Amino acid sequence: MSKKKKVIVGLLFLVIMACTNILAILHQENIQDITVSFHVVADAKNDTKIQVYYKQKNYENEKFSTNHMLNLEVASDKGMNDYEIALPGDASSVRINPMNVVTDDIAYKEVYLAYKDDVIEKYPVTNENFNDAEKYYSWKIDTDKTKEVVTEARHTRNLILKILICLIIDVLLVVIWLKLDSIMIIPKDVFANRKLIGNLAKNDFKQKFAGSYLGTVWAFVQPIITVLVYWFVFEKALNVGSQSTKAGIDIPFVLWLIAGLVPWFYFSEVLASGTLALIEYNYLVKKVVFKISTLPVVKALSSMFVHGFFVIFTIVLYSIYSYFPTLYTLQLIYYSFCMFMLSLGLIYAFSAIMVFFRDLSQIVNVLLQIGMWMTPIMWNMDAMANRIPGWAMTILKLNPMYYIVNGYRDALYNNMWFWERPGMTAYFWILTTILVVGGMAIFRKLQQHFADVL
């Protein structure tokens, strides 16, 4: 790259750095959750549930509904108990009532609103907030006071976190700019051979099922069967039922499940097949004139054909259940791109290492099995928030596929934009950039030895 071009790119990077730093510092974090805690004496003969309803600030005029309702299990044989449940940060009203028992069987000794260890407000348990006709208690929440307490509690931590994120992004951009010539070698090869990559991706997709009577139909049958098996086992056999999100949205289990399985199908397929890319195309690797750096991209694009079909299939299935596409649904394109880039960075490194260490493919298969259960695909992280320690929850969220699976659900039914999760978005792209740049560096470092070993 000429000095003039490098200066222009450097100026562009400076603009990006300045904009990123300004946006990060000025960004006001949304209050993700607050906690309603209460001491309960349960005198009921049998275990029961407490229903906790809430309204959000912008929907105060609406009635309490099951769309914003969470359940708590109350054990009758343990006497005095402390219970707490997480609500959205903009909750403006809360209502608590037991199910299948008279209200006198459950005595509320104390109810208070808190953020972490900071008590925001205590609520009286009196006849003024008791509805005798329908047997429930309800309270108004001072949302201004909530915001004030939470903002003050988070101010120092958020400022340090913002400065740290800015430093990481700045250092990353400087390193990319300094190493730009070497980093751009593979992207330039990919762009120059884009038509060849497209043809190879189509052939690779067809070749997987060459010789079978149904051909490429098997690419779509197997994932559909997998979804049906999981749906039958969890919803019908284990009676899991609908899933409740942190925002209080009840979603049919099959819709909740497929929103997590569809991105995972693509990710696992790309890693499994992409790791073997150079082994499978060893006859091309040995050709001097062929740009072997394009092979990982071929594998990533080949799997995208099936993924595109299942994204459409998912949208149709949601529509059948009356969850029709909205503007938020367009984010599926963004999250698919996120997954493509994450997968690409990994298979550049894995495919290169695989040439010298053939056991890697077995290790990747084991890691994919573990990763599937560490990612909240078939289990609800929101529902288990009170049962998983905070440090364990943080570790689980460091999994980059958590961001993507959660993003698919945000796009399909949570109705949340990706920029409303700035911390997770910044973390994902910092990690993905490191993986892509690092993966390509490993590939280029080992590339000269591929033909000799194969």
Side-chain angles (χ1 to χ4, degrees):
M1 183 182 291
S2 66
K3 288 185 177 180
K4 185 178 179 180
K5 287 184 178 179
K6 197 161 187 178
V7 169
I8 294 173
V9 173
L11 291 173
L12 178 62
F13 275 27
L14 284 174
V15 172
I16 294 173
M17 288 168 58
C19 292
T20 303
N21 293 343
I22 292 170
L23 289 174
I25 297 298
L26 295 181
H27 173 73
Q28 296 295 322
E29 184 181 6
N30 291 327
I31 303 172
Q32 295 297 322
D33 57 82
I34 52 179
T35 300
V36 170
S37 304
F38 42 96
H39 302 293
V40 172
V41 178
D43 298 322
K45 294 180 180 179
N46 300 309
D47 293 354
T48 187
K49 287 183 178 180
I50 292 178
Q51 291 178 326
V52 180
Y53 294 84
Y54 64 90
K55 295 179 186 178
Q56 291 173 282
K57 186 175 182 180
N58 296 331
Y59 304 96
E60 183 60 36
N61 293 329
E62 296 184 4
K63 294 181 179 179
F64 287 108
S65 72
T66 54
N67 290 332
H68 294 86
M69 183 267 291
L70 301 166
N71 288 316
L72 277 175
E73 298 287 343
V74 176
S76 62
D77 59 343
K78 294 183 179 180
M80 190 74 169
N81 279 282
D82 292 335
Y83 294 91
E84 63 178 32
I85 198 162
L87 302 182
D90 60 348
S92 58
S93 298
V94 62
R95 162 182 154 178
I96 300 175
N97 64 299
M99 297 174 60
N100 303 324
V101 293
V102 296
T103 308
D104 293 340
D105 289 339
I106 296 183
Y108 302 95
K109 296 298 182 183
E110 186 179 35
V111 178
Y112 61 92
L113 190 71
Y115 168 72
K116 295 189 180 299
D117 296 327
D118 297 302
V119 176
I120 298 173
E121 192 166 359
K122 291 188 177 182
Y123 297 102
V125 181
T126 65
N127 291 332
E128 293 180 6
N129 48 50
F130 179 66
N131 186 310
D132 189 56
E134 300 183 40
K135 305 295 182 183
Y136 66 77
Y137 290 95
S138 64
W139 297 268
K140 293 281 188 182
I141 295 175
D142 188 343
T143 54
D144 292 333
K145 189 172 182 180
T146 300
K147 186 174 182 180
E148 180 183 345
V149 171
V150 175
T151 301
E152 183 179 345
R154 290 184 172 184
H155 178 72
T156 303
R157 179 179 66 87
N158 282 353
L159 184 59
I160 294 172
L161 185 61
K162 288 175 181 179
I163 292 172
L164 182 61
I165 290 173
C166 288
L167 285 174
I168 293 173
I169 293 174
D170 293 349
V171 170
L172 192 60
L173 288 173
V174 169
V175 171
I176 291 174
W177 180 71
L178 293 174
K179 300 288 185 180
L180 194 60
D181 288 336
S182 58
I183 290 172
M184 290 303 296
I185 291 175
I186 291 179
K188 284 179 180 178
D189 289 344
V190 171
F191 182 78
N193 295 276
R194 58 191 181 280
K195 290 184 180 179
L196 176 62
I197 291 173
N199 292 330
L200 285 175
K202 292 176 186 177
N203 291 334
D204 183 84
F205 173 64
K206 295 176 182 178
Q207 191 65 30
K208 292 177 184 177
F209 308 96
S212 61
Y213 287 108
L214 295 179
T216 56
V217 172
W218 289 112
F220 308 103
V221 171
Q222 184 177 351
I224 289 176
I225 295 299
T226 304
V227 172
L228 290 175
V229 168
Y230 283 134
W231 167 75
F232 178 80
V233 169
F234 283 93
E235 184 167 333
K236 300 302 180 183
L238 299 179
N239 196 29
V240 172
S242 62
Q243 295 295 303
S244 294
T245 66
K246 183 177 281 190
I249 301 172
D250 285 329
I251 188 85
F253 181 77
V254 66
L255 300 186
W256 183 86
L257 175 66
I258 199 171
L261 280 178
V262 166
W264 184 261
F265 283 152
Y266 174 82
F267 181 72
S268 59
E269 169 64 20
V270 170
L271 253 62
S273 62
T275 301
L276 299 168
L278 298 179
I279 306 295
E280 183 179 341
Y281 287 100
N282 63 81
Y283 59 92
L284 292 177
V285 175
K286 296 175 182 179
K287 290 186 177 182
V288 179
V289 296
F290 185 80
K291 296 292 185 181
I292 60 175
S293 58
T294 61
L295 291 176
V297 183
V298 169
K299 284 295 184 181
L301 283 177
S302 173
S303 299
M304 191 59 74
F305 294 120
V306 177
H307 180 68
F309 166 80
F310 275 101
V311 167
I312 296 172
F313 174 79
T314 301
I315 293 172
V316 171
L317 183 62
Y318 268 74
S319 298
I320 292 172
Y321 279 83
S322 298
Y323 288 84
F324 298 104
T326 63
L327 281 175
Y328 295 98
T329 311
L330 293 174
Q331 291 182 110
L332 292 176
I333 299 172
Y334 163 75
Y335 285 111
S336 295
F337 176 72
C338 290
M339 191 165 50
F340 177 85
M341 295 304 296
L342 173 66
S343 305
L344 199 60
L346 291 172
I347 62 176
Y348 262 110
F350 290 171
S351 62
I353 297 171
M354 179 67 186
V355 175
F356 307 94
F357 182 59
R358 300 298 176 96
D359 291 346
L360 181 60
S361 63
Q362 303 304 322
I363 295 173
V364 168
N365 288 333
V366 172
L367 291 176
L368 285 173
Q369 290 181 14
I370 297 172
M372 183 172 185
W373 292 102
M374 287 188 67
T375 307
I377 297 171
M378 285 172 285
W379 56 278
N380 192 338
M381 186 175 282
D382 291 335
M384 298 180 68
N386 294 328
R387 285 177 279 174
I388 301 177
W391 61 267
M393 189 74 75
T394 301
I395 291 174
L396 289 171
K397 289 181 179 181
L398 291 177
N399 173 5
M401 281 303 294
Y402 166 81
Y403 174 75
I404 293 171
V405 168
N406 209 40
Y408 270 65
R409 289 173 175 152
D410 285 344
L412 289 166
Y413 61 82
N414 277 334
N415 293 340
M416 180 175 287
W417 295 107
F418 68 89
W419 57 76
E420 294 182 63
R421 302 184 188 273
M424 285 301 300
T425 300
Y427 164 75
F428 175 83
W429 279 112
I430 290 171
L431 178 63
T432 300
T433 301
I434 293 171
L435 289 174
V436 170
V437 174
M440 289 181 176
I442 293 171
F443 191 94
R444 287 183 57 252
K445 188 75 173 178
L446 301 176
Q447 183 175 347
Q448 57 184 325
H449 305 292
F450 290 161
D452 297 334
V453 177
L454 292 172

